[in-house]
Amino acid sequence: MDDMYDVAIIGAGVAGGLLARTLAAYDLKICILEKEHDVATGATRANSGIAHAGYDALEGTLKARLNVRGSRMMERLARELGVPYRRNGSMVIGFGDEDRETIEKLYARGVANGVEELRVIDGEEARRLEPGLSRAVTCALHAPTGAIVCPYELAIAAVGNAMDNGAELFLDFQVGHIEKNQDGYTISSVCREGRGREGDGGKGAVCPGEERDKKAGKEALPETAGNGKDSGEPSPRSVRARYVVNAAGIYADEIARLAGDDSIRIHPRRGEYLLLDRACGGLVSHTIFRTPSRQGKGILITPTVDGNLLLGPTSVDGEDKKDRATTREGLEQIMARARENVEALPQGKVITSFTGLRAAGNTGDFIIDSPGPGFINVAGIESPGLTAAPAIAEYVAEMLAAQGLALNRKADYQPLRKPVYAFRNASPEEKNEMIRRDKAYGRVVCRCETVTEGEILEAIRRNPPGRHQAPHQGPDGPVPGRLLHALPHGNPLPGAGNPL
């Protein structure tokens, strides 16, 4: 059996996941390599969840082109993957003549980028659309094509659908070595001693940590169900692939250097957020932006697809790629600036806060290039990266085809993924039917969010599958512990409501 993959994708965020899903439509052998214990754990899990209309990116850039294309693709994509999506529209609000000039420039840029239905409106019309806006608002750019989507559900569903169509997922695979071969690349993971495999092209090498475990009689945990590959703890592994796509988020520069490309510089841009209770979800219906600065789009206010209200982010450039701490100063800044836009925001309804790290590159644009045959970078995917992700996948697939990858459509490709129906949103009749089919839906595990055991088990069993951990005692006996994919677990996520 040939163990050579056609394409190895490094990174299981929304960009890597949607690329895997796009390529899984073709007769290809694909794998996704993810350094963490789960998918969607980087920038994808902690961002604004906005599908931008496309007026902000400079004309002629990849950001502009792929933002508008991705915005047009997003609604159908979300429907196929069963992911929550709502076209709620967005507004950029201004507070005087200087802001008006910026808004007029954004309007002209949006028209040049191909954004449809844009309008510049006065403050009175803005308040008719959003009665809660400050009386000081004098003008706004109204973009009806703006939307909201759940970013981590989109990535989870994309990876899951790719796996349903034959792609393989390797978790705990931190890339430590990339070697160019005559027929492609060998990619080796970092072992527990911090070194990649060496000496035999990835076949049979054992790191010192693994050797000690063998002598101590330790055995690796079994692989996950389905076709996700997971040893239970980091072990040195290698895969061979004809083509490699680097979609490693804030670590994309480090992966590029492993392949001999030193042209990319990525630094983390910290963005702190406040998530408000669902009781506040109706305070605004649009996504509300301030006029943008060089650092970003300022403090926004947006509903989430789950009915919460999200405020943020701050924008602070840093160097530490693991610093996701929140700060008193940042959170106070968010609430103060947000209340300049919508005065009725209540401090006492904040249910959680979190920090996301955006991958800020050194070019001001997305870095999607091929520094060598068969190797493609997808780096610097900061805002509007979520919106652009479907178009990025399409674009990279075209690049791979131009380099010789044969894209022959599968006859049995299945683009649809069954949506997850929240028990709390079902009618009484639907709830009774769900319980009749599976009694686990009658056991509520999280009362504040009305999450049932049946929903949790479904999330665990579908692709990407749950992770084996220590068993715990359930109502019907021992139940294997899992890392949940479709529900928040251990980290606050935008739009998720109270964590279990």
Side-chain angles (χ1 to χ4, degrees):
M1 181 178 178
D2 185 9
D3 63 352
M4 172 74 81
Y5 290 91
D6 293 300
V7 184
I9 301 166
I10 302 173
V14 71
L18 282 172
L19 175 60
R21 192 245 183 185
T22 297
L23 295 178
Y26 303 99
D27 189 18
L28 300 170
K29 188 176 180 181
I30 303 161
C31 69
I32 312 166
L33 311 178
E34 170 54 51
K35 70 185 283 288
E36 300 295 343
H37 304 306
D38 200 359
V39 305
T41 60
T44 299
R45 80 172 180 185
N47 64 69
S48 305
I50 295 165
H52 293 282
Y55 51 76
D56 189 54
L58 292 174
E59 303 97 312
T61 61
L62 276 176
K63 283 185 177 181
R65 171 185 166 186
L66 299 177
N67 182 163
V68 174
R69 172 63 179 157
S71 175
R72 291 171 180 165
M73 297 172 72
M74 187 66 74
E75 184 170 7
R76 176 179 175 178
L77 173 68
R79 185 170 60 249
E80 289 181 346
L81 292 178
V83 172
Y85 168 94
R86 187 164 86 246
R87 182 161 288 188
N88 64 319
S90 63
M91 297 173 64
V92 182
I93 57 174
F95 290 82
D97 292 342
E98 186 175 345
D99 283 353
R100 176 83 185 207
E101 290 180 12
T102 301
I103 284 172
E104 293 284 0
K105 290 177 182 177
L106 290 177
Y107 170 79
R109 186 182 299 165
V111 171
N113 289 346
V115 181
E116 299 174 346
E117 302 179 53
L118 279 178
R119 293 190 304 143
V120 177
I121 59 179
D122 61 24
E124 290 303 315
E125 185 171 358
R127 278 182 289 276
R128 282 196 295 273
L129 292 170
E130 284 292 349
L133 287 179
S134 166
R135 299 299 302 175
V137 172
T138 60
C139 57
L141 177 65
H142 182 221
T145 59
I148 52 178
V149 67
C150 182
Y152 47 91
E153 286 195 47
L154 182 63
I156 290 165
V159 172
N161 185 243
M163 294 173 73
D164 292 342
N165 285 284
E168 296 180 57
L169 170 66
F170 293 83
L171 298 174
D172 291 318
F173 196 114
Q174 181 176 348
V175 174
H177 185 71
I178 299 175
E179 179 184 355
K180 181 73 174 76
N181 305 315
Q182 185 174 358
D183 55 353
Y185 294 85
T186 298
I187 309 165
S188 302
S189 71
V190 173
C191 75
R192 286 185 293 277
E193 293 294 312
R195 292 185 290 274
R197 284 190 173 186
E198 298 175 354
D200 67 349
K203 294 290 185 182
V206 179
C207 76
E210 186 179 45
E211 188 64 46
R212 283 197 303 271
D213 282 358
K214 285 187 176 181
K215 289 178 180 178
K218 295 181 181 179
E219 295 183 0
L221 293 175
E223 291 184 354
T224 57
N227 55 355
K229 304 296 185 182
D230 167 33
S231 65
E233 58 178 293
S235 300
R237 290 170 285 172
S238 292
V239 300
R240 298 189 304 131
R242 294 183 176 88
Y243 297 87
V244 176
V245 178
N246 167 22
I250 59 174
Y251 297 98
D253 55 342
E254 299 175 31
I255 297 299
R257 283 195 289 274
L258 292 177
D261 177 15
D262 196 38
S263 67
I264 298 174
R265 297 289 181 273
I266 302 290
H267 70 269
R269 182 167 291 153
R270 299 178 71 257
E272 298 178 54
Y273 290 88
L274 292 171
L275 185 69
L276 276 62
D277 189 84
R278 285 201 187 99
C280 305
L283 287 177
V284 300
S285 59
H286 292 72
T287 298
I288 309 298
F289 298 100
R290 289 287 288 263
T291 48
S293 68
R294 186 181 63 84
Q295 286 292 96
K297 302 173 181 67
I299 301 300
L300 61 85
I301 305 169
T302 186
T304 72
V305 291
D306 293 296
N308 300 84
L309 200 65
L310 186 65
L311 316 179
T314 57
S315 181
V316 179
D317 289 321
E319 298 296 330
D320 188 347
K321 294 183 177 183
K322 296 182 179 180
D323 181 12
R324 291 185 172 86
T326 56
T327 65
R328 178 186 293 273
E329 295 78 15
L331 301 181
E332 288 177 348
Q333 175 192 349
I334 291 170
M335 184 57 75
R337 294 300 304 273
R339 280 178 167 167
E340 293 175 3
N341 305 335
V342 177
E343 297 167 0
L345 291 172
Q347 179 82 44
K349 293 294 185 179
V350 174
I351 60 173
T352 196
S353 60
F354 59 92
T355 295
L357 300 179
R358 288 160 277 179
N362 57 326
T363 68
D365 198 1
F366 296 152
I367 304 169
I368 305 177
D369 61 16
S370 181
F375 191 94
I376 293 177
N377 290 312
V378 179
I381 309 301
E382 57 183 332
S383 181
L386 172 63
T387 315
I392 290 173
E394 184 181 69
Y395 183 71
V396 173
E398 292 171 357
M399 291 177 67
L400 290 166
Q403 292 195 17
L405 181 66
L407 299 182
N408 300 312
R409 190 86 174 180
K410 287 178 181 173
D412 60 349
Y413 173 63
Q414 176 50 264
L416 304 180
R417 177 176 164 97
K418 178 186 173 184
V420 176
Y421 294 107
F423 185 82
R424 67 170 178 260
N425 296 331
S427 67
E429 294 77 17
E430 290 169 333
K431 288 178 179 176
N432 286 332
E433 177 59 21
M434 292 167 78
I435 295 169
R436 187 191 66 78
R437 292 198 311 266
D438 185 345
K439 288 183 172 54
Y441 282 91
R443 292 189 282 269
V444 176
V445 175
C446 176
R447 296 189 181 281
C448 57
E449 297 294 319
T450 321
V451 177
T452 67
E453 181 183 325
E455 293 168 278
I456 293 172
L457 291 174
E458 182 179 0
I460 289 169
R461 291 166 178 165
R462 71 193 327 212
N463 280 325
R467 291 280 307 282
H468 283 278
Q469 295 177 345
H472 65 273
Q473 192 68 24
D476 300 315
V479 178
R482 302 287 184 161
L483 177 62
L484 306 185
H485 289 267
L487 297 167
H489 183 87
N491 290 288
L493 302 174
N498 292 320
L500 295 180

